[in-house]
Amino acid sequence: MTRTLFSGGQVYDGTTHRASPGDVVVEDGRIVEVGTDLDGDEVVDCTGGYVSPGFFDCHVHVTLDSPSVLQIVETPFSLQFFAAAANLRATLETGVTTVRDAGGADLGIRTAVERGMVPGPRMQLSIIMLSQTGGHGDDWGVCGADVPFFVPHPGRPSGVVDGPEEVRKRVREIIRAGADVIKVATTGGVLSPHDDPRHPHFRDDEIAVMVAEAAAAGLSVMAHAQGAEGIKAAVRNGVRSIEHGIFLDEEAIELMLAHGAWLVPTLHAPRAVIRAAEAGLPLPASVVAKAHDVAASHVDSVRRAHEAGVRIAMGTDCGVGPHGTNLEELALMADAGLGPVDVLHATTGSAARLLGVEGDRGTLAPGLRADLVVVDGDPDDLTGLRERVRSVHLDGREVHRRPAMP
């Protein structure tokens, strides 16, 4: 079998160790050696750059494109599936080889990627976000109409539920639809115009049922959680990851440490909302005001969580912002106090552990899947990463190479 040698640059292995000069050898889709002075039948030249595990984005929405109510009303139902194909390609080409879709993508989209019908990263699905009536995922408007971001269809049930027994049945339906993780909104949010990100949603008995039903199927729960009380309710009841975590207080951070919960910051998201509004996207004034309001608190919460030792995994909420801009999140994490190695680890090995795939990918070690990215420049430089991705590889096979400069 052909041995492919990634050589001539530095190797970042997906752990908390700094990159160093070295080689990676791939054979039959798997890493077989990591070291120095290795050999191979074919060579991928990494001179002037580094090879890393493929990047993870643990919070995307591949069926969304910077949505507004007007855009949703004017978009044909089936267009979302074609948009997902384009968004998956853009995500893969930026070096992200694994994503967790946080609502919208159904089993058919993942199957299309797995069968090679659509180029894209490996996917985990949440199908739809559970929301209480009047919560972040309830798209009822004051005019009396429902304009959902995610129209229910046979592969994607409604996520609006109330009470433990409704919750129990809906979780089972979402698992039946092909979910790899259950998602819940335990607070209000930014894009929902009539709720408050600080207010807690769902009661403990409802959240506990979600976690129990997920666990019975071998799955975990991720929580859209921005206000401190909703974060604490989620963690207290066994939720594995807190998405956003904008208004963390010290008690919430201590709970996350005690329960081993991850933070997926999505610092990219409120900035994307602000940029979209400035570009003319017709967003409600309340949504734009909330995006501005949360920005400073968001950075401070991530900084304090990191300093305390909370585990962090990279996520962007792309779909709220443009797909293909995923790697902007790395510089934003650095601005929140994470060092370059901490940022890269959050985007590789830590993210793989959150998603439960650390035995398959996310680090560079013999036996693991050869999902790799070659990046120009130094691993300590987290700026302009999108333009610096030289090549992307799935199972050692090149799936994207940056076009040569004219």
Side-chain angles (χ1 to χ4, degrees), residues 118-190:
V118 173
R122 306 184 197 281
M123 299 183 72
Q124 290 191 359
L125 306 178
S126 64
I127 306 292
I128 193 68
M129 178 179 69
L130 295 170
S131 168
Q132 69 177 42
T133 296
H136 182 53
D138 183 353
D139 297 297
W140 180 86
V142 292
C143 66
D146 283 307
V147 187
F149 279 14
F150 304 115
V151 177
H153 65 76
R156 187 175 67 202
S158 168
V160 180
V161 288
D162 298 284
E165 291 315 306
E166 274 192 31
V167 164
R168 187 186 308 278
K169 182 176 181 181
R170 193 57 46 83
V171 169
R172 291 174 178 177
E173 290 172 345
I174 292 169
I175 294 169
R176 179 179 68 183
D180 303 291
V181 62
I182 300 300
K183 184 185 178 187
V184 57
T186 62
T187 71
V190 170

Side-chain angles (χ1 to χ4, degrees), residues 264-284:
V264 181
T266 71
L267 291 157
H268 186 272
R271 289 159 179 79
V273 172
I274 293 167
R275 287 201 299 259
E278 290 172 347
L281 190 71
L283 293 169

